[in-house]
Amino acid sequence: MFAERYLQRNIIYPAFIRSQPSADLKIVVVIPCFREPDIIDTLDSLLACTQSNFSVETIVVINQSEEAGEQVKLFNEFTRQQIDDWKQKNERKNFSVYPIGPLSFPRKHAGAGLARKVGMDEAVQRFHQLGNAQGIIASLDADTLVDSNYFLSIEKQLESNPQWVGATIGFKHRIDSTQMSPKQIEGIYLYERYLHYYRNAVLYTGHPAALFTIGSAFCCRVGAYVKQGGMNRRQAGEDFYFLHKLLQIGTIGEIQSTCVYPLARLSDRVPFGTGPILQRWVDGLEDLSETWNFQVFSDLKELFDLVDQLYRIPKDELVVLLSNLSSPLQQFLADLDFSTLLEEVNANAGSIDSFRKRFFNTFDAFRILKYVHFAHWSHYSKQSLDEAERMHDEAVE
């Protein structure tokens, strides 16, 4: 049965949920929950979704570090009680909520990544009982609301696109003008523009890794989750790493027929992500009106446009081909020992299609990001977001 080996090797905890899953279970929503005051609003939003003809479960992983203070522990205990009370009043047919914890995680791994992993691994165990490798795991956050067609859209889109191993979901950060300063509101507008700019710029290069990586806005098939090794334990950026690893085994689609609405709040709980970036903006430590120079992505497009020519290319021809690339990209590729990497890709590719896949798995989203940083450190200056967006729009016309 699917997931047998994964369950033997990757599960940290035995199953928390004792009840048998419904035979028609199709979607399990996983929500990490650490000192979250808005989790009941999130559950209300899920409950208000249009009722489906299949079953849905929501797993809330209440978690904390083993070194958490007494206030955090008390808050999380109160959260558990709130969810238990909410369950008794609100569960309905085809919709179940299962709180887990509070769990105390080792300090080294405590964070969103491990909490998501625990919840998603629990989802694996639920679908494993049914022998359903096509079941869907949806990732959400505890401060996020959803459109009423959230479940129906996810199910329909993955049903209609069997080649998808997962999908990103449309998102828009919520603005609360009664709780947020004008500076914070301006910051989230700029940050959302940046997210769209970066994704569109990578798309312009021709690389297949043009994804939004928002922890509250993606889903995947449980079989694909198991195949790629499950969620990582990173304390931040777990969504970025997970989705790009998932991309290596298949197509990640986009679901734009529904939307999720994370709260645009300030945060210092993780080193990077929406909350810390907004905090640095409000504190005057980061300028969100500036972004990566679009020329960096033009450089990468020159390379990616040549991919088919790199298949089984002789060394002397490779030297000539690379000499026509931009100076910063040539330097980056030399530091990377690109010719040796290319030899390895070619040695393991039996066809042009296999070569393309291996090439982009080697020159992946992480290497794109490394080049972006390298090029700005060595050659380019950041430019205004307005100018970068204009250059992108002109380039794709």
Side-chain angles (χ1 to χ4, degrees):
M1 188 181 293
F2 101 97
E4 204 72 54
R5 179 175 294 183
Y6 181 86
L7 292 174
Q8 291 172 2
R9 298 183 177 183
N10 297 83
I11 296 294
I12 300 172
Y13 298 96
F16 291 96
I17 303 171
R18 300 303 178 190
S19 62
Q20 181 71 17
S22 299
D24 62 348
L25 178 65
K26 277 198 175 181
I27 300 176
V28 176
V29 180
V30 174
I31 304 175
C33 184
F34 166 73
R35 204 179 65 203
E36 294 287 356
D38 300 310
I39 182 61
I40 298 302
D41 291 340
T42 298
L43 296 179
D44 283 340
S45 179
L46 291 170
L47 182 68
C49 286
T50 304
Q51 194 155 0
S52 60
N53 59 1
F54 53 85
S55 290
V56 173
E57 293 182 356
T58 297
I59 298 174
V60 182
V61 183
I62 306 168
N63 68 97
Q64 62 214 15
S65 168
E66 62 187 359
E67 297 181 347
E70 197 61 28
Q71 278 191 319
V72 170
K73 292 178 180 178
L74 289 173
F75 195 105
N76 281 344
E77 290 287 354
F78 175 69
T79 298
R80 174 62 190 252
Q81 187 60 55
Q82 276 187 307
I83 298 174
D84 286 340
D85 293 344
W86 184 93
K87 271 189 65 170
Q88 292 192 0
K89 300 173 185 175
N90 291 288
E91 283 200 279
R92 70 181 188 204
K93 182 183 178 183
N94 297 344
F95 182 84
S96 300
V97 173
Y98 296 104
I100 293 174
L103 300 177
S104 290
F105 292 152
R107 180 187 60 81
K108 181 179 178 181
H109 297 296
L114 181 53
R116 280 193 216 282
K117 174 176 172 56
V118 169
M120 290 179 165
D121 286 354
E122 188 75 14
V124 171
Q125 297 185 73
R126 303 296 283 168
F127 285 120
H128 179 256
Q129 292 182 56
L130 302 173
N132 181 9
Q134 297 302 310
I136 301 165
I137 302 175
S139 180
L140 202 64
D141 283 341
D143 63 353
T144 303
L145 307 182
V146 302
D147 277 340
S148 61
N149 66 343
Y150 177 71
F151 295 126
L152 294 179
S153 288
I154 290 174
E155 190 270 343
K156 180 180 179 181
Q157 290 299 314
L158 267 73
E159 198 70 27
S160 301
N161 297 278
Q163 76 279 16
W164 289 4
V165 295
T168 60
I169 299 169
F171 66 93
K172 185 174 181 61
H173 287 87
R174 299 198 323 275
I175 303 297
D176 183 352
S177 58
T178 64
Q179 300 291 325
M180 299 176 180
S181 68
K183 180 77 171 177
Q184 186 177 349
I185 293 172
E186 181 187 12
I188 195 58
Y189 282 131
L190 289 170
Y191 183 59
E192 279 207 355
R193 282 176 59 191
Y194 159 74
L195 291 174
H196 283 84
Y197 164 70
Y198 187 85
R199 182 265 181 186
N200 290 336
V202 174
L203 185 66
Y204 167 76
T205 70
H207 198 287
L211 301 175
F212 291 111
T213 54
I214 308 294
S216 57
F218 72 86
C219 61
C220 65
R221 299 186 196 277
V222 65
Y225 174 87
V226 166
K227 185 176 181 180
Q228 72 88 42
M231 176 57 68
N232 57 78
R233 305 184 194 188
R234 291 180 177 272
Q235 294 175 315
E238 77 289 345
D239 41 13
F240 179 89
Y241 285 87
F242 175 80
L243 285 169
H244 285 294
K245 191 176 177 184
L246 186 67
L247 185 65
Q248 294 185 3
I249 66 170
T251 301
I252 296 180
E254 282 191 33
I255 298 176
Q256 295 296 334
S257 53
T258 193
C259 189
V260 302
Y261 303 91
L263 187 63
R265 64 185 180 186
L266 306 178
S267 176
D268 59 0
R269 296 190 294 183
V270 291
F272 53 90
T274 306
I277 287 174
L278 286 178
Q279 187 68 63
R280 291 197 294 273
W281 159 258
V282 168
D283 293 342
L285 302 176
E286 183 156 347
D287 186 356
L288 293 178
S289 68
E290 291 187 341
T291 191
W292 306 119
N293 196 307
F294 184 70
Q295 186 58 49
V296 170
F297 302 98
S298 295
D299 292 350
L300 290 170
K301 179 173 172 55
E302 290 180 13
L303 173 63
F304 299 154
D305 283 348
L306 299 173
V307 166
D308 285 3
Q309 297 180 52
L310 298 177
Y311 180 51
R312 296 181 177 173
I313 187 172
K315 284 187 177 181
D316 57 337
E317 292 183 21
L318 176 63
V319 171
V320 174
L321 208 61
L322 297 184
S323 68
N324 293 318
L325 298 176
S326 69
S327 175
L329 187 53
Q330 286 188 53
Q331 185 179 338
F332 180 77
L333 294 178
D335 293 345
L336 194 61
D337 195 6
F338 180 72
S339 60
T340 299
L341 285 177
L342 192 63
E343 281 182 21
E344 293 174 0
V345 172
N346 268 306
N348 291 285
S351 67
I352 186 68
D353 289 339
S354 173
F355 173 80
R356 286 192 204 102
K357 182 177 180 179
R358 288 181 178 276
F359 176 87
F360 285 120
N361 282 348
T362 300
F363 205 116
D364 57 12
F366 307 103
R367 286 215 160 102
I368 288 177
L369 197 54
K370 284 181 180 178
Y371 176 64
V372 169
H373 284 277
F374 169 82
H376 282 82
W377 169 76
S378 62
H379 288 80
Y380 300 130
S381 299
K382 284 191 173 184
Q383 63 185 159
S384 72
L385 185 56
D386 289 338
E387 177 68 9
E389 289 173 326
R390 183 189 64 76
M391 289 181 66
H392 167 267
D393 292 345
E394 290 178 353
V396 297
E397 283 180 357

